[in-house]
């Protein structure tokens, strides 16, 4: 889940482009009109994650050191390792940047979800960091950042719609 900051190309003033301005951290935030336990389930239960993010399936062992797999028919299986779990408050994992790969430090990013009470709902923040540490050329890092920013923007809107519909 970020203000939608994607890579930008900056002009140098002489008609040339300086190259992508590469963010290392993407941040998105939404408010979900639902109880925290429902938002938590949407983040940590595989069948729930498949409804808004990993459309071809998800497996999550939501405990420190647990594993996860997100599946997309068009992209492949992405593996991860759970870093920290604070039930109904914080959930983080390292997710491999390449399908079929293990979530090694130079080939994965850190995804962190923070859930905060907001009236009768939840303020949900997702941060993805470590983009500049990915073992790929800077242009590919910029493309990854842009795709990830768009993915979180769309995914969080789908998460909110899914969770709020479950509460109706």
């Amino acid at each position: 889940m970020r203000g939608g900051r994607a890579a930008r190309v900056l002009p140098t003033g002489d008609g040339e482009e300086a190259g992508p301005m590469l963010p290392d951290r993407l941040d998105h935030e939404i408010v979900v009109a639902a109880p925290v336990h429902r938002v938590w389930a949407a983040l940590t239960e595989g069948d729930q994650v498949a409804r808004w993010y990993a459309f071809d399936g998800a497996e999550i062992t939501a405990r420190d050191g647990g594993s996860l797999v997100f599946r997309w028919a068009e992209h492949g299986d992405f593996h991860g390792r759970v870093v920290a779990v604070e039930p109904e408050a914080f959930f983080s994992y390292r997710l491999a940047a390449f399908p079929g790969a293990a979530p090694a430090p130079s080939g994965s990013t850190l995804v962190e979800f923070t859930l905060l009470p907001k009236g009768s709902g939840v303020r949900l923040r997702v941060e993805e960091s470590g983009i500049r540490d990915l073992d790929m050329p800077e242009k590919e890092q910029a493309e990854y950042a842009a795709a990830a920013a768009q993915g979180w923007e769309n995914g969080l809107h789908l998460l909110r719609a899914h969770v709020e519909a479950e509460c109706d």
Side-chain angles (χ1 to χ4, degrees):
M1 180 216 144
R2 303 183 171 172
R5 290 178 286 154
R8 295 182 298 170
V9 175
L10 300 177
T12 63
D14 60 3
E16 296 293 316
E17 294 178 341
M21 188 172 116
L22 181 64
D24 191 50
R25 177 179 293 275
L26 304 171
D27 302 296
H28 285 284
E29 191 172 284
I30 61 168
V31 174
V32 183
V36 69
H37 73 275
R38 292 203 187 251
V39 177
W40 181 254
L43 297 173
T44 61
E45 296 176 10
D47 63 324
Q48 295 290 311
V49 172
R51 296 174 135 201
W52 65 272
Y53 188 64
F55 302 112
D56 293 301
E59 299 170 23
I60 302 171
T61 304
R63 62 172 168 72
D64 292 2
S67 63
L68 58 86
V69 179
F70 296 148
R71 291 184 180 86
W72 292 274
E74 69 275 21
H75 303 297
D77 292 3
F78 287 77
H79 298 265
R81 177 77 46 215
V82 176
V83 174
V85 178
E86 295 174 33
E88 299 186 357
F90 183 79
F91 181 57
S92 68
Y93 54 82
R94 292 204 70 83
L95 186 65
F98 307 101
S106 66
S108 66
T109 57
L110 178 65
V111 177
E112 302 171 291
F113 292 97
T114 304
L115 295 82
L116 299 167
K118 173 77 173 169
S120 61
V122 176
R123 179 177 304 280
L124 175 63
R125 180 181 182 128
V126 62
E127 299 176 55
E128 183 172 2
S129 61
I131 296 164
R132 288 189 211 135
D133 295 331
L134 293 173
D135 188 16
M136 61 178 70
E138 189 172 314
K139 181 180 180 195
E140 290 178 27
Q141 290 174 342
E143 291 167 355
Y144 178 95
Q150 186 65 52
W152 287 122
E153 182 80 20
N154 294 339
L156 290 178
H157 288 293
L158 292 171
L159 178 145
R160 179 174 39 217
H162 163 65
V163 172
E164 290 178 355
E166 293 283 313
C167 291
D168 288 341

